[in-house]
Amino acid sequence: MDTTAATNAPAHHGVTVRHNFETAHRLPHLGGKCTNLHGHSWWVEVSAAAPALDSSTVVEFGAFKAELRSWIDTHLDHGAMLGVDDPLAKVLADHGSKLYRFGAPQPLPAEEFATNLPHPTVEAVAVLLGRVAMDVLVGLGHAPGARIEGVRVTETHVNSALWRGGSA
């Protein structure tokens, strides 16, 4: 078997972490039925890639998985995601509900990942989780040139959004 082409091609290695979470959101700026507060069983797939391996890994799987899942469970799972201009945000916060605000002018530290994302659309949630994943990757040991290659967020079994990432 001739392996010349394979050995001359740039190497590409990747890992993918999947997680699910239950979160409500609403999109009053769009009109229609999504103006109502409603929930989804969200799924996220985060893929990290590197051109070469470091200690035989792109990133240590256990730590990467644990950090991503912990952030999602702490800030999103069994809560609500609302745009900062949504009048329900104050009501829910005043009643002690778990709330993640998109586009907050004075964001809490975790909400800084949603800067410049005014509404919790599935596309914006993919960007949010891509930013979180990049932050997690930077904080962990990883192969040289490792990056978040993409994030797919599925809000229903037929609707999903894809965000393509950048370098760590």
Side-chain angles (χ1 to χ4, degrees):
M1 177 167 103
D2 181 13
T3 60
T4 307
T7 56
N8 290 335
H12 180 84
H13 308 275
V15 296
T16 299
V17 172
R18 293 186 75 212
H19 192 51
N20 68 303
F21 56 102
E22 309 295 326
T23 303
H25 74 152
R26 79 179 204 127
L27 305 168
H29 69 289
L30 293 180
K33 65 184 179 180
C34 289
T35 61
N36 296 305
L37 185 63
H38 62 284
H40 294 290
S41 293
W42 303 76
W43 279 93
V44 60
E45 295 180 14
V46 177
S47 297
L53 298 178
D54 183 39
S55 299
S56 300
T57 66
V58 172
V59 60
E60 200 283 305
F61 223 128
F64 187 56
K65 185 170 48 177
E67 292 286 331
L68 283 171
R69 289 177 175 174
S70 176
W71 193 95
I72 291 167
D73 291 348
T74 299
H75 301 290
L76 303 180
D77 189 44
H78 282 79
M81 299 182 294
L82 298 175
V84 69
D85 60 350
D86 192 318
L88 285 183
K90 180 172 177 11
V91 173
L92 290 175
D94 287 349
H95 285 86
S97 289
K98 186 176 188 176
L99 177 64
Y100 191 90
R101 300 174 305 157
F102 278 64
Q106 296 176 327
L108 298 171
E111 293 172 338
E112 290 178 2
F113 292 109
T115 299
N116 300 324
L117 300 172
H119 305 286
T121 61
V122 66
E123 297 91 342
V125 174
V127 173
L128 165 71
L129 294 175
R131 291 173 178 175
V132 169
M134 285 194 311
D135 189 65
V136 168
L137 184 62
V138 167
L140 297 173
H142 55 76
R147 67 189 183 286
I148 300 302
E149 187 168 62
V151 175
R152 179 175 302 280
V153 174
T154 304
E155 68 175 358
T156 70
H157 70 283
V158 295
N159 297 329
S160 67
L162 178 63
W163 175 84
R164 300 245 186 242
S167 297

